[in-house]
Amino acid sequence: VSLGLTAGIDGWILESLRSADDLSDALGPVWFENTVRAFTALGGYPVIVFAVLNAVVILALSGERRAAILVIISVAGASALSSGLKQVFERQRPDIVAHLDPTIVPVSFPSSHATVSLVAWLTLALVLARHVSVPAVRTYLIAAAIVLAMLVGLSRIYLGVHWPSDVVAGWALGLAWVSLVFGYDARMRARPQPARGTDERRRS
C-alpha cells in the first residue's frame, strides 16, 4: 500500500460500484443502499460497545470472570491497534467517489470497522461456542461471526469510505489479533495447575 501497488485495483473496485455517469450514485436500488448502511452500523462502536458490555456483564455474573477479561482484552486491544496503525500510516480516505456514510477520522488504513467488527463478533462467538456441546452449532456460530464481519467490511467499500485494501488489512489484523489472544489463552489453560496441597506447603 505504501508503494502504491494497490492503487489501481483499489480505484477500479470503487468506481465499478458507482454509476458510470455519476460517481456519487452507488449501484443498486435505494433499499439496497439502506441495507448496506445497516450492516455498516453493526461494525460501529455504539453497537459493538453495547454488545460487548452486555456480554461482559453476563459472563461476570455467571462466574466466568476469565472469559469476561478475555473479551475485554480482545476487543479493546483490537481497537487500540487499529487506531494506532491509522496514525502510523496516515492514508487518506478515498477521494475518487462520494462518501455515502459520514466519517470522523480522515485516515483510513487499516479499516477500524473491518478490524473491530471481526474481532468483536468472532470473540463473542468463540466464547459462546465453549458452552455449546454440538460441533455443528459451534462451527455455525464461528462461521456466522465471520460472515457478519465480512459484510461489515464490504459495506465500507460500497459506501466509498474505505479503499478495498484498507478493509483487507483490517480483516488480516483482526484475525491475527484474535488468533494471538485466544492462542495465548489456550496455552495458559493447558498449563498444569499445581495441587492445592502443594500451594499450601509453599505458603507455609
Side-chain angles (χ1 to χ4, degrees):
V1 169
S2 298
L3 294 175
L5 300 178
T6 64
I9 187 66
D10 277 339
W12 177 80
I13 292 175
L14 285 179
E15 291 180 354
S16 67
L17 295 173
R18 300 300 172 94
S19 170
D21 301 325
D22 184 4
L23 292 180
S24 65
D25 181 23
L27 295 179
V30 175
W31 66 263
F32 182 77
E33 188 174 319
N34 291 333
T35 300
V36 173
R37 285 196 177 94
F39 275 118
T40 210
L42 294 176
Y45 280 109
V47 174
I48 294 293
V49 170
F50 181 81
V52 169
L53 281 179
N54 278 279
V56 168
V57 170
I58 292 172
L59 288 168
L61 292 176
S62 302
E64 297 281 348
R65 294 184 179 180
R66 183 189 182 100
I69 294 173
L70 182 69
V71 171
I72 294 173
I73 291 175
S74 183
V75 179
S79 178
L81 276 173
S82 178
S83 298
L85 288 174
K86 279 180 182 291
Q87 303 308 315
V88 171
F89 289 102
E90 295 186 329
R91 187 189 195 189
Q92 298 302 304
R93 292 186 183 273
D95 55 1
I96 60 175
V97 297
H99 297 176
L100 302 181
D101 189 61
T103 56
I104 299 176
V105 181
V107 288
S108 66
F109 184 92
S111 166
S112 291
H113 269 72
T115 303
V116 179
S117 65
L118 187 145
V119 171
W121 300 123
L122 187 54
T123 293
L124 296 180
L126 289 169
V127 170
L128 180 59
R130 290 177 174 177
H131 301 278
V132 176
S133 59
V134 182
V137 176
R138 292 199 297 267
T139 301
Y140 179 83
L141 283 171
I142 296 170
I146 293 174
V147 169
L148 178 56
M150 291 182 66
L151 290 173
V152 170
L154 292 174
S155 73
R156 305 304 286 169
I157 300 172
Y158 178 85
L159 295 173
V161 293
H162 272 294
W163 303 100
S165 53
D166 296 339
V167 172
V168 173
W171 286 335
L173 176 63
L175 187 59
W177 178 247
V178 169
S179 300
L180 178 65
V181 171
F182 278 84
Y184 180 77
D185 180 64
R187 184 175 181 180
M188 294 302 293
R189 286 173 176 272
R191 293 179 61 181
Q193 299 296 324
R196 183 175 299 178
T198 302
D199 288 342
E200 292 176 353
R201 286 194 297 272
R202 287 177 179 175
R203 294 193 193 99
S204 62

